[in-house]
């Protein structure tokens, strides 16, 4: 079981210098850092001023030796200031861990700059097992990297919860792998994905790809990111072509269906369509598509 890597730590080694003095010190002692950039950084992340100059210098030089660009270093510490107080050995172990994924140094830096909390992970075996599991379903390391970029929670989520989403998105919805990893769908709860997908199905706006369809074959279905990565209002109005109120009513009905499924001991959501009142609800939410054919 992965330990939770998205945790809040106690901040130590607070800097007692005024921010202006710290900025001057850093700009003078660390090549590549200038006052305007640091001023903007401290304005956006005031917590950075709590760390002494020696911690900045130690972390910067360590990451520079590991090949990290200055821009990526600044993005990492801005997103996760506690790393400035991280022991060097632990930080090095985490970077070695992520380097073992073989995404390439550039891609690794981009990933960690986007999600610096991933530097909490230092167990090679845990990450190797997760990589092997995901590679089986998403085909290439680049696709796994894309998945981590858009849904970093898959690094620590249970295999069971991820597998259920894989089964639903890739098998039930028949979404192609590339479209899947380019979305943030795996950051969402499975019920969120199901609700929006079923709503579009009942409106006649989503039809599964044929099992023998060629890879990359065009489809009139909304893209997965349009389905899962939008607010309720945007999804309702721009994707389903209904009002927000109509979608909210459906969400409530959908929750009742799921609860009824659970009470009946049903494991498969597809069996919802066998409910006696399914056809009535389907007619209630059937709406002529405005999507261009």
């Amino acid at each position: 079981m992965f330990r939770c890597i998205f945790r809040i730590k106690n901040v130590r080694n607070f800097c007692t210098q005024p921010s202006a003095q710290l900025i001057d010190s850093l700009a003078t002692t660390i090549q590549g850092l200038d006052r305007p950039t640091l001023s903007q950084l401290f304005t956006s992340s005031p917590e950075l001023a709590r760390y002494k100059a020696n911690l900045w210098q130690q972390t910067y030089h360590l990451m520079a030796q590991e090949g990290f660009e200055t821009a990526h270093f600044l993005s990492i510490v801005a997103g996760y200031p506690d790393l400035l107080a991280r022991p060097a050995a632990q930080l090095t172990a985490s970077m070695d861990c992520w380097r073992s994924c073989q995404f390439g140094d550039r891609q690794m830096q981009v990933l960690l700059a986007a999600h610096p909390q991933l530097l909490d992970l230092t167990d090679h075996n845990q990450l190797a097992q997760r990589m092997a599991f995901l590679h089986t379903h998403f085909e290439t390391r680049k696709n796994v990297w894309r998945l981590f970029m858009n849904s970093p929670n898959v690094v620590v989520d249970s295999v069971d919860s991820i597998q259920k989403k894989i089964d639903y998105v890739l098998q039930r919805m028949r979404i192609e792998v590339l479209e899947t990893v380019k979305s943030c769908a795996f950051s969402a709860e499975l019920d969120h994905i199901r609700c929006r997908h079923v709503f579009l199905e009942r409106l006649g706006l989503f039809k599964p790809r044929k099992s023998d369809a060629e890879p990359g074959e065009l489809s009139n279905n909304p893209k997965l990111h349009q389905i899962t990565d939008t607010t309720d209002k945007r999804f309702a109005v721009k994707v389903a072509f209904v009002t927000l109120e109509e979608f909210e009513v459906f969400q409530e009905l959908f929750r009742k269906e799921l609860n009824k499924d659970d009470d009946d001991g049903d494991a498969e959501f597809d069996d919802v369509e066998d409910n006696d009142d399914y056809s009535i609800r389907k007619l209630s939410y059937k709406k002529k598509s405005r999507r261009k054919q």
Side-chain angles (χ1 to χ4, degrees), residues 198-213:
V198 171
F199 188 53
L200 292 175
E201 273 194 326
R202 295 183 187 181
L203 292 173
L205 296 175
F206 190 100
K207 297 179 181 179
R209 287 164 48 85
K210 296 180 180 179
S211 57
D212 59 350

Side-chain angles (χ1 to χ4, degrees), residues 196 199 231-237 241-251:
R196 293 191 173 194
F199 188 53
T231 63
D232 281 352
K233 182 175 182 179
R234 184 170 183 82
F235 170 76
V237 175
F241 306 113
V242 298
T243 65
L244 175 60
E245 290 74 18
E246 287 176 297
F247 179 54
E248 288 175 338
V249 170
F250 175 81
Q251 286 178 303

Side-chain angles (χ1 to χ4, degrees), residues 9 15 23 68 76 90 106 138 147 183 198 228 237:
K9 298 183 175 181
C15 179
I23 289 173
F68 277 75
I76 287 171
Q90 187 178 349
R106 176 71 178 176
F138 297 102
L147 186 64
S183 77
V198 171
T228 62
V237 175

Side-chain angles (χ1 to χ4, degrees), residues 133-165:
F133 165 66
L134 294 172
H135 194 275
T136 299
H137 296 284
F138 297 102
E139 302 172 354
T140 68
R141 290 184 185 275
K142 188 171 184 179
N143 282 339
V144 176
W145 175 82
R146 289 186 175 113
L147 186 64
F148 285 166
M149 282 291 297
N150 292 312
S151 302
N153 55 291
V154 298
V155 177
V156 294
D157 284 354
S158 71
V159 169
D160 181 63
S161 67
I162 298 173
Q163 185 65 61
K164 288 178 179 178
K165 293 177 187 178

Side-chain angles (χ1 to χ4, degrees), residues 32-81:
L33 298 186
D34 57 69
R35 287 178 179 82
T37 299
L38 288 168
S39 295
Q40 184 177 1
L41 188 69
F42 277 57
T43 299
S44 62
S45 301
E47 187 179 348
L48 292 171
R50 297 177 176 180
Y51 296 90
K52 295 180 180 179
N54 69 303
L55 294 177
W56 277 83
Q57 293 161 1
Q58 172 184 297
T59 306
Y60 177 83
H61 290 306
L62 173 61
M63 299 192 76
Q65 289 173 0
E66 293 285 341
F68 277 75
E69 299 176 5
T70 298
H72 290 148
F73 163 76
L74 294 176
S75 180
I76 287 171
V77 297
Y80 199 13

